[in-house]
Amino acid sequence: MTGNVMIRTLDGQEMPAYRADPAGAPRAAIIVIQEIFGVNAGIRRKCDTLAEAGYLAIAPDLFWRLEPGIELDPDIQPQMARALELMGQFDQDGGIRDIEAAIRHARDAADGAKVGAVGYCLGGRLAYMTASRTDVDASVGYYAVGIDGLLGRRQYGGPVRRMIALQAFDPPRRMVPARHRVVGQGGGQRPGGRPDAHRPRAHGHRHRRHDESQAGRREDRRPDGLYHPERH
């Protein structure tokens, strides 16, 4: 099965999502957490690529309570403005509950296999929140935004007891040591990521892919370090 599905949320509603299934039994399941542009072609392509690698991949439409089915192009200024508007309206705590529903759905669909999460930008922030508030088995945040602002909060600032890797793009200097200190209290894992790393893009829009060939090679070169929740 590859295509759009509906997922029962924790409050009993139906949330749209994109699902990509592998050819055989899944090695594990991965929740792909969107940027501020919705479940667009780039996010769906991420799911398809993970399915080709043997994973069940599900991208929940986290903006569905605001505008279901939204797909935005960051290269078109009015759409970029709309994405920023949606981000301002988005209930992140509610988004985590919807991600938790997607985790439960994925775990059932994968016959109890482990479930990981990977998110980009806003999704990278939500990946961190997912690691601290759900039973996800592993979580990865690419160019996660605003993590330093979460560290002082009780529900996010305590130990993260899941494997987590964070790649921050040009983070504040105070963020990296604080992030390592707080996240590292969990299971002895130190969060991954380098401040000077190229910023991988979740979307496939030509103009927004900064140094596309380098970013693509950098991301493709190390998949085993990021996409194997079944190992942890």
Side-chain angles (χ1 to χ4, degrees):
M1 173 193 299
T2 294
N4 297 322
V5 297
M6 301 300 290
I7 293 175
R8 179 61 60 92
T9 62
L10 302 186
D11 61 356
Q13 301 189 62
E14 296 290 322
M15 171 177 61
Y18 181 78
R19 171 174 166 170
D21 284 63
R27 304 168 62 176
I30 297 177
I31 306 302
V32 179
I33 309 175
Q34 66 183 63
E35 296 176 295
I36 63 175
F37 311 112
V39 181
N40 59 10
I43 292 295
R44 294 194 298 272
R45 188 155 46 248
K46 291 291 184 186
C47 291
D48 294 342
T49 299
L50 289 168
E52 290 170 4
Y55 296 94
L56 168 63
I58 296 175
D61 178 4
L62 297 179
F63 285 170
W64 72 280
R65 296 178 189 268
L66 299 171
E67 185 174 340
I70 189 77
E71 294 187 40
L72 299 171
D73 184 337
D75 293 323
I76 299 174
Q77 183 55 40
Q79 294 191 29
M80 181 66 173
R82 177 58 177 152
L84 293 172
E85 181 182 4
L86 287 168
M87 180 179 67
Q89 298 171 352
F90 177 59
D91 177 0
Q92 295 183 26
D93 290 327
I96 294 301
R97 290 190 289 272
D98 285 342
I99 290 171
E100 183 176 357
I103 291 170
R104 295 182 184 183
H105 175 92
R107 191 168 280 128
D108 288 343
D111 294 327
K114 290 188 175 182
V115 179
V118 58
Y120 303 86
C121 198
L122 169 64
R125 175 186 173 91
L126 295 174
Y128 175 84
M129 294 167 67
T130 296
S132 67
R133 294 182 59 182
T134 76
D135 64 349
V136 73
D137 293 293
S139 194
V140 177
Y142 279 115
Y143 51 101
V145 296
I147 300 299
D148 54 325
L150 296 176
L151 296 181
R153 303 186 190 180
R154 175 177 294 274
Q155 65 267 46
Y156 305 126
V160 176
R161 305 191 186 281
R162 310 281 182 262
M163 179 189 177
I164 184 169
L166 296 172
Q167 182 199 54
F169 180 68
D170 193 23
R173 291 184 180 180
R174 63 189 171 85
M175 173 182 168
V176 176
R179 182 182 63 190
H180 280 230
R181 182 175 63 253
V182 176
V183 177
Q185 293 172 4
Q189 299 279 357
R190 289 188 68 81
R194 297 183 301 132
D196 62 339
H198 283 271
R199 177 173 177 165
R201 302 288 185 176
H203 49 71
H205 300 288
R206 179 173 59 88
H207 299 295
R208 292 279 293 180
R209 289 189 66 96
H210 175 67
D211 194 6
E212 183 177 35
S213 61
Q214 292 298 322
R217 284 198 295 269
R218 192 177 295 269
E219 188 172 26
D220 293 342
R221 190 164 59 228
R222 303 189 305 155
D224 287 352
L226 299 176
Y227 294 135
H228 286 261
E230 77 276 12
R231 294 181 181 178
H232 305 286

